[in-house]
């Protein structure tokens, strides 16, 4: 049997990047507990549209927890209270009638608010552009036995590659650090033979871009790991640190510092 | 576009954290030795004063170690200030509601325990080493470190300051012990737990020893 509940939302409303922004209270009425968190917001938005008010803007795309578009801080936790779950996969059954829910956008200097709960995460794209690729023609999947990869390496590369780039790690970090994101992207390529030739340049360029974007440093609080919808381990941050320290001491060429945007 | 320059390890946040870890491990090593050395106070005046004069009789070693320690402390402090400035800028708008679901109390307190320890270190050096200060009705005697020790820790508030400061040191080391391994990339699924437990065990032992020291006079272990 589906339960129905009434909730009170405190939602961050901000017209544009220049607007100061404020919290606005909304009643979310007759919410079915089978709904996802985003569907609950859809209901509230429909109500707002009927009243002629501006709906709450939030990012979303696949609503299957795999695209990394959605993300908001729900009662102080990025993506809300369910572990290993994106906001779109968060079910309303985890809330109860009468609950008050505070919803905020990711807070980081490198993630300026575009509108309401939507932030500009292109800083993460620029970290990828700095070196999160391999400069070879990828083509179709190669014949499996032509390039042997040890099982453990492939498993770890896969674990790192599950990062969907949602930015929850930055949002949860006391220092607004993008270390977990950057580390995951560096590690998944560093673990595979295809990533080998550009390994030392990649880590230096990506870390330089991460710093240039104004993200903070890692201070091992593990908040990122705890909210990551893909359970990416902070052991990848240690791997990134190891990669950078090695690269800085062995790489023959210099890397230029990078600029934001 | 801003003028670009070639990047060195210390230009990056990762490199700064590595330097923080290296300077931290030097200071960590020192506090272990400092704690073990001073526990000799429980062996009595003769042994303790002999230990102190033994150190003083090797000026090259003494000043070598002091130089390294001061350098480590400077690096540790300057880098933290640099990183702290970046951190403030990294989140200009704070959350209204923010839950910490994974971090430890010790980790969250680093920004307070750090400055407190810096002040404590200066206080501690002024108290016992240079110039040597008396907070009670006695005169510090150069060379008789045992008497200075016992006289100092007869005063309850001095004992309280040392106990509190060393509990803070314990918290600082507890987080630092784990974080410094992470910062230099020492992480391996097979050894992680063991290494972490050893590091934290050392932090605990240092704290236990250091908290015991100022209490020795009250407990009658030094008189």
């Amino acid at each position: 049997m589906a339960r129905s509940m009434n909730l009170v939302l405190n939602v961050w409303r901000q017209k544009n990047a220049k607007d100061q922004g404020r919290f606005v209270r909304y009643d979310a009425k007759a919410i079915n507990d089978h709904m996802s968190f985003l569907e609950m917001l859809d209901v509230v938005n429909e109500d707002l549209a009927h009243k002629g008010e501006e709906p709450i803007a939030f990012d979303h795309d696949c609503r299957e927890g795999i695209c990394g578009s959605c993300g908001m801080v729900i009662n102080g936790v990025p993506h809300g209270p369910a572990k290993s779950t994106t906001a779109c996969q968060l079910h309303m059954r985890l809330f109860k009638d009468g609950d008050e829910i505070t919803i905020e956008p990711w807070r980081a200097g490198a993630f300026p608010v575009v509108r309401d709960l939507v932030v500009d995460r292109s800083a993460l794209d620029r970290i990828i552009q700095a070196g999160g690729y391999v400069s070879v023609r990828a083509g179709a999947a190669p014949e499996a036995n032509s390039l042997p990869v040890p099982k453990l390496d492939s498993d770890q590369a896969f674990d790192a590659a599950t990062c969907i780039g949602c930015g929850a790690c930055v949002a949860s970090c006391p220092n607004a650090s993008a270390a977990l994101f950057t580390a995951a992207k560096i590690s998944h390529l560093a673990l595979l033979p295809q990533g080998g030739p550009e390994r030392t340049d990649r880590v230096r360029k990506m870390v330089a871009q991460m710093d240039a974007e104004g993200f903070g440093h890692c201070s091992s609080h593990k908040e990122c790991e705890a909210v990551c919808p893909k359970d990416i381990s902070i052991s990848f941050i240690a791997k990134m640190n190891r990669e950078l320290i090695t690269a800085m001491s062995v790489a023959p060429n210099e890397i230029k510092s990078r600029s934001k945007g | 576009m801003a003028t670009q320059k070639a990047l060195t390890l210390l230009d990056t946040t990762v490199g700064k954290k590595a330097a923080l870890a290296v300077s931290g491990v030097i200071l960590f090593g020192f506090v272990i030795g400092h704690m073990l050395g001073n526990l000799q106070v429980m062996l009595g005046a003769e042994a303790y004063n002999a230990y102190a004069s033994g150190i003083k009789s090797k000026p090259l070693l003494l000043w070598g170690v002091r130089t390294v320690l001061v350098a480590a402390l400077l690096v540790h402090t300057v880098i933290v200030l640099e990183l702290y400035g970046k951190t403030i800028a990294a989140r200009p708008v704070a959350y209204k509601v923010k839950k910490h679901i994974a971090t430890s109390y010790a980790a969250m307190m680093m920004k307070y325990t750090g400055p407190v320890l810096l002040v404590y270190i200066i206080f501690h050096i002024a108290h016992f080493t240079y110039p040597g200060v008396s907070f009670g009705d006695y005169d510090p005697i150069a060379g008789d470190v045992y008497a200075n020790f016992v006289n100092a820790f007869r005063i309850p508030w001095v004992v309280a300051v040392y106990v509190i400061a060393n509990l803070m040191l314990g918290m600082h080391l507890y987080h630092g012990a784990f974080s410094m391994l992470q910062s230099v990339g020492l992480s391996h699924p097979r050894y992680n737990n063991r290494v972490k437990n050893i590091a934290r065990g050392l932090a605990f032992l240092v704290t236990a020893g250091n908290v015991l020291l100022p209490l020795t006079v009250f407990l009658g272990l030094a008189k």
Side-chain angles (χ1 to χ4, degrees), chain A residues 107 109 173 211 221 234 242 255, chain B residues 7 13 90-91 103 182 185:
Chain A
R107 296 285 189 201
C173 176
D211 287 347
H221 287 269
I234 60 159
R242 207 156 61 227
I255 287 287
Chain B
L7 218 55
T13 48
R91 179 164 292 135
T103 190
Q182 184 77 6

Side-chain angles (χ1 to χ4, degrees), chain A residues 5 8 11 19 47 61 116 119 130 148 155 161 245 252:
Chain A
M5 60 184 111
V8 178
V11 186
D19 183 26
D47 194 39
D61 190 10
D116 299 340
V119 298
D155 284 352
I245 294 166

Side-chain angles (χ1 to χ4, degrees), chain A residues 234-256:
Chain A
I234 60 159
S235 64
F236 287 118
I237 298 179
K239 181 168 178 59
M240 168 174 76
N241 297 344
R242 207 156 61 227
E243 289 277 323
L244 185 77
I245 294 166
T246 317
M248 283 290 191
S249 40
V250 302
N253 55 327
E254 288 173 333
I255 287 287
K256 300 286 180 199

